[in-house]
Amino acid sequence: MEITRENQQKIIDIIRACGDTVRTAHDVESQDGAITVKPGAANFVTAFDMKVQNMLIAQLSALYPKASFFAEEKDNDGACFKDAYCFVIDPIDGTTNFIHDMKCSAVSVALYYDGKPLFGAVYDPYMDEMFHASVGGGAFLNDRPIRVSARLLDKALVLFGTSPYNRDLYGRTTFDRVYNVFMKCADVRRSGSAALDVCYVACGRADAYFEDILSPWDFAAGLLILTEAGGKMTSYKGELPKAGEKTSVLCSNKLLHSEMLQLLNK
């Protein structure tokens, strides 16, 4: 199954318009009722998350009337991946950054067909950077083709996530792994947006990214973008992520994947 260039552009236009809602939001913390807390540590949702998600579902439904949706701010059924078309949505990846006005957040949308990624786009509205890819069609930053780096670990910039919602389970192991990696690479960074981290590996700004646990909407679009850019994503066990399931994630330029797995499992 292929996705037409026309539909790719329509999805990109929808995401870009929703990104304007993220970019133009101000003083989120000062607005009554704008922030609520979900189960887990520091797990927030804002009225803007809900607004963007509703906009995406409404407009993408008009484009694909029979599509189902697997999205962060709704109840989900993994069976939707068995439907022909399924959109995987993170309306604002990096919500804590968004609340703090850190300007490092993204809108992430992936389109799956019969359980396999068909198209993915991650949009940073602050930098106006649209990362996107279609299966077999390559990966792009706006209209420019992108490719992973060719750096080895000693020269690598490695990104990581802290799994903050599950810090009781993963806090200690995360920073043990960060130490192990830091002692072998050029340096490490923490951005707060998994979707952007994966895309930064895809375009060669970074060379690897890891996090102990991620939800499907965190990496679904980035998975295809990274793969089409020549990179690799697996769990810490070296297994490919399964549609609709949480997993540990290691992304890399392939050259240092094996060495990174050894460090993460040390």
Side-chain angles (χ1 to χ4, degrees):
M1 174 59 64
E2 296 181 353
I3 178 172
T4 65
R5 289 186 178 274
E6 181 182 5
N7 278 358
Q8 290 181 48
Q9 189 58 53
K10 287 180 178 179
I11 295 172
I12 286 171
D13 291 344
I14 290 169
I15 296 170
R16 192 180 293 276
C18 290
D20 289 342
T21 298
V22 179
R23 180 179 53 79
T24 57
H26 298 287
D27 302 320
V28 176
E29 286 185 289
S30 67
Q31 300 180 33
D32 290 341
I35 302 172
T36 56
V37 181
K38 299 187 293 183
N43 192 3
F44 306 110
V45 58
T46 73
F48 296 94
D49 291 83
M50 299 306 303
K51 181 177 181 179
V52 170
Q53 180 168 292
N54 291 338
M55 291 169 63
L56 287 168
I57 290 176
Q59 295 180 45
L60 294 171
S61 292
L63 187 60
Y64 286 86
K66 295 183 179 180
S68 56
F69 291 85
F70 193 96
E72 181 172 14
E73 310 304 342
K74 67 182 284 293
D75 293 330
N76 294 294
D77 182 354
C80 72
F81 286 93
K82 298 179 181 178
D83 298 336
Y85 289 106
C86 177
F87 282 99
V88 186
I89 293 173
D90 193 340
I92 303 179
D93 183 70
T95 298
T96 301
N97 285 349
F98 175 69
I99 292 170
H100 287 260
D101 199 29
M102 283 286 291
K103 293 182 170 55
C104 183
S105 304
V107 181
S108 178
V109 176
L111 176 59
Y112 276 62
Y113 185 85
D114 283 348
K116 297 180 180 179
L118 181 65
F119 177 79
V122 174
Y123 181 52
D124 178 347
Y126 303 107
M127 297 293 291
D128 191 24
E129 292 188 331
M130 179 72 72
F131 298 89
H132 60 96
S134 61
V135 64
F140 298 84
L141 169 49
N142 295 330
D143 294 323
R144 177 176 61 84
I146 56 175
R147 197 74 184 166
V148 294
S149 73
R151 300 183 192 97
L152 299 178
L153 189 58
D154 63 328
K155 300 291 195 302
L157 182 64
V158 178
L159 311 178
F160 70 96
T162 55
S163 305
Y165 312 150
N166 302 279
R167 64 184 65 186
D168 289 345
L169 291 174
Y170 302 108
R172 178 64 64 183
T173 59
T174 289
F175 285 96
D176 286 345
R177 290 184 170 108
V178 171
Y179 176 79
N180 291 338
V181 172
F182 176 65
M183 298 305 291
K184 296 290 185 179
C185 71
D187 210 342
V188 296
R189 298 285 187 273
R190 158 78 169 140
S191 79
S193 170
L196 288 176
D197 285 346
V198 177
C199 290
Y200 290 169
V201 177
C203 72
R205 291 177 183 169
D207 311 290
Y209 157 71
F210 67 92
E211 189 151 359
D212 280 14
I213 190 74
L214 287 177
S215 294
W217 46 76
D218 295 315
F219 62 83
L223 170 60
L224 185 60
I225 295 167
L226 177 67
T227 302
E228 288 291 327
K232 185 175 183 177
M233 179 188 293
T234 70
S235 70
Y236 290 176
K237 295 180 180 179
E239 300 170 342
L240 295 177
K242 296 180 181 179
E245 295 186 9
K246 291 185 177 183
T247 183
S248 56
V249 165
L250 169 63
C251 301
S252 82
N253 61 11
K254 286 188 177 180
L255 297 177
L256 43 75
H257 207 87
S258 178
E259 192 172 1
M260 280 292 298
L261 282 176
Q262 292 178 12
L263 290 170
L264 296 178
N265 288 294
K266 188 173 179 180

